[in-house]
Amino acid sequence: MSRYDVVVVGSGPVGTATARELADRAPALRVLVLDAGQVLGDVPGGHVKNITDPGPALAGLPSGAAPPPGATPARPGTALVGTPAMPNAAISTNVGGMGAHWTAACPRPGDDEVPGFLDPAVLDEALRRAEELLAVTTHAFDRAPLRGAVQQILGELFDQPERRPVGPMPVAVSVSGDGSLHWTGPAVIAGDLWERENVTLRAGTLARRILIDGDRATGVEVVDVATGDRSVVEARAVVVAADAFRTPQLLWASGIRPAALGRYLNDQPQVMTAALLDDRHVTGDATASVAVSAATTPGGGAIVPLSGVSWVPYAAGRPFHGQVMQMDASPVKLDPGVTVRPGQVVGLGWFCRKQVRADDRVWFDEDAADEHGMPAIRIDYTLTEADQAAIAAAVEELRTAAKALGRPLGEPFVLPAGSSLHYQGTTRMGPADDGTSVCDPAGRVWGTANVYVGGNNVIPTATACNPTLTAVALAVISARALADSLEASR
């Protein structure tokens, strides 16, 4: 039987950030990070776009799984949960979780996306730390020749006093001296973490249940996925950061069942369209011939140094947030004979805020099991009249934006539920144990002394912006509180 101070379940951005912050703040703590999946490529938690030779490990999804529409290449280690209410709900079982596959957009939350019960100064400092851990920048695509034209057009449409203006999307990307990009996966968050004496990453190891004595966790029962061998890891505290579906699943399987567990599921309805930037906007240096395409970049991603990623921020009176990508390798079918400059095809994706409801939920079927023998995941999810109104408004705004940019390439379309991959709320935090939240503002699960949760699933508000930065910031707050508590009790 092994013993640790903290067991962290999940090695995605939040699990890794939690372990990193614990180790930085209290180096003497012994920390174990568990993941049921394996390492993709050579670096634990590396982003797949940084792998120059994908090889068989990145050949595709597990047997029987289907990627979300338009996803290319397929996300290795990722599979659909498989539920009629949310057909594109997906999970990633690999070291790094979805953080090995994400688009790396890291906008800050604004207006009523920010939980009102958190100390603004504490949250602001945690957001700065999260930006540091994720290597967030607004300058990754400064070389994009048409970026300025795109942002000028969108700014003229959407900028208003007292609102955050249209600008470059903050992204978790590092730019080398030659202009090539390195995408942030959890490996970047970790730094030298896995080389430290008191920190261990154990891949291929599933947490089956948290062992509880009274209100205290005493450890975790784990199983080796390859062999089926079971064992127990003792711990002074347990942090579960296993995504918005499997975090509440593990708590449920462990008999930890606050009233709000699995409820308040928040996906962001996603509306998309594309436009061909009008030649009248392409002037000066933007017309320069450039010989770099997506096919020559690591991972074959559609966003390269010559593309731009722009941001139309969320505002309380405007219930969506815009992510605008210039696509050098356009997935949009163009008319024969049409020649475009790099970045001239612009994809627009609007994420809508969804009304937060207790009846939108993930729940667990104790009469059926998933592939790991855990209670099977079920989902209830419905779009309300308010949600439909927000989607309709986003469609109209996208039509306007596409026309302003130049030539619309088809009508805006709504992706199936679950396509955003921005699942939130299922272990939401709150200021009081009143049945509407699962954990306190430090991430400690109500009714327990030493069980913590982290991830997008702790975000309690209706949001439209990409949630990873916020989730990592909340993990920073949680890890610091836990480290201080454990150090004080030695």
Side-chain angles (χ1 to χ4, degrees):
M1 184 181 297
S2 53
R3 295 177 175 85
Y4 290 85
D5 291 299
V6 183
V7 172
V8 179
V9 181
S11 66
V14 167
T16 301
T18 299
R20 170 72 184 271
E21 204 67 10
L22 286 169
D24 284 356
R25 196 170 187 88
L29 291 177
R30 297 190 67 226
V31 179
L32 172 66
V33 179
L34 302 174
D35 202 290
Q38 298 294 334
V39 175
L40 303 176
D42 297 326
V43 180
H47 199 294
V48 298
K49 284 189 179 181
N50 302 325
I51 300 174
T52 56
D53 180 14
L58 303 187
L61 296 174
S63 177
T72 180
R75 296 182 175 96
T78 301
L80 298 181
V81 174
T83 172
M86 192 177 278
N88 277 10
I91 55 177
S92 283
T93 307
N94 53 259
V95 171
M98 279 290 182
H101 313 285
W102 66 317
T103 59
C106 286
R108 283 197 176 205
D111 295 354
D112 54 2
E113 292 181 309
V114 179
F117 55 82
L118 293 177
D119 183 324
V122 171
L123 179 59
D124 184 67
E125 199 281 325
L127 285 165
R128 286 199 301 271
R129 174 58 174 161
E131 288 166 340
E132 177 185 345
L133 289 170
L134 290 161
V136 175
T137 180
T138 56
H139 297 290
F141 303 104
D142 283 352
R143 290 172 45 195
L146 307 182
R147 177 182 56 89
V150 169
Q151 291 174 14
Q152 179 180 347
I153 295 163
L154 295 175
E156 290 171 354
L157 276 178
F158 301 125
D159 284 353
Q160 291 186 16
E162 309 304 322
R163 285 188 185 176
R164 293 177 293 178
V166 170
M169 174 67 79
V171 290
V173 176
S174 301
V175 185
S176 66
D178 63 3
S180 60
L181 304 182
H182 186 278
W183 298 79
T184 293
V188 172
I189 300 170
D192 68 349
L193 185 65
W194 310 131
E195 301 168 11
R196 300 189 195 184
E197 181 179 1
N198 287 336
V199 181
T200 302
L201 171 65
R202 191 182 298 176
T205 306
L206 175 78
R208 287 190 55 84
R209 64 189 178 103
I210 302 166
L211 305 176
I212 296 289
D213 182 6
D215 67 347
R216 300 195 68 85
T218 60
V220 180
E221 179 189 329
V222 301
V223 58
D224 185 302
V225 174
T227 67
D229 293 342
R230 298 192 185 190
S231 59
V232 169
V233 178
E234 291 185 348
R236 295 171 62 202
V238 176
V239 180
V240 187
D243 73 41
F245 300 122
R246 289 174 292 184
T247 293
Q249 180 191 48
L250 180 57
L251 266 59
W252 179 271
S254 305
I256 304 170
R257 302 177 180 180
L261 185 71
R263 292 188 175 272
Y264 303 97
L265 172 63
N266 176 21
D267 176 38
Q268 296 170 345
Q270 190 174 355
V271 187
M272 298 191 71
T273 194
L276 183 63
L277 193 63
D278 197 303
D279 279 337
R280 72 179 184 274
H281 302 305
V282 184
T283 59
D285 292 340
T287 63
S289 174
V290 187
V292 178
S293 71
T296 64
T297 62
I303 308 171
V304 297
L306 302 166
S307 298
V309 183
S310 301
W311 178 31
V312 183
Y314 167 88
R318 182 181 169 276
F320 22 76
H321 131 108
Q323 187 166 303
V324 183
M325 297 185 180
Q326 292 162 254
M327 299 178 287
D328 292 291
S330 172
V332 179
K333 187 175 181 179
L334 301 175
D335 294 337
V338 174
T339 301
V340 298
R341 298 176 177 85
Q344 195 173 0
V345 174
V346 180
L348 301 96
W350 262 221
F351 294 93
C352 300
R353 180 182 62 187
K354 190 192 182 309
Q355 187 176 22
V356 174
R357 303 166 59 248
D359 289 340
D360 291 322
R361 60 179 298 199
V362 55
W363 56 279
F364 308 102
D365 188 345
E366 293 185 294
D367 294 326
D370 67 12
E371 62 179 316
H372 296 299
M374 301 289 284
I377 294 170
R378 307 290 187 238
I379 296 174
D380 293 331
Y381 177 86
T382 302
L383 295 175
T384 66
E385 289 185 7
D387 300 331
Q388 297 287 6
I391 291 169
V395 167
E396 287 303 314
E397 188 167 289
L398 278 169
R399 284 194 183 112
T400 300
K403 289 178 181 177
L405 288 167
R407 172 185 164 190
L409 299 173
E411 279 290 302
F413 57 95
V414 183
L415 295 180
S419 297
S420 77
L421 306 179
H422 295 170
Y423 320 124
Q424 301 166 57
T426 56
T427 59
R428 70 202 302 248
M429 64 169 48
D433 184 7
D434 59 3
T436 67
S437 60
V438 170
C439 66
D440 69 13
R444 181 181 57 82
V445 175
W446 298 119
T448 75
N450 61 343
V451 178
Y452 290 73
V453 286
N456 296 344
N457 34 283
V458 306
I459 298 173
T461 51
T463 69
C465 75
N466 311 65
T468 301
L469 178 72
T470 303
V472 171
L474 297 178
V476 167
I477 294 172
S478 181
R480 290 175 176 177
L482 175 56
D484 292 347
S485 172
L486 291 173
E487 288 294 278
S489 64
R490 277 191 183 276

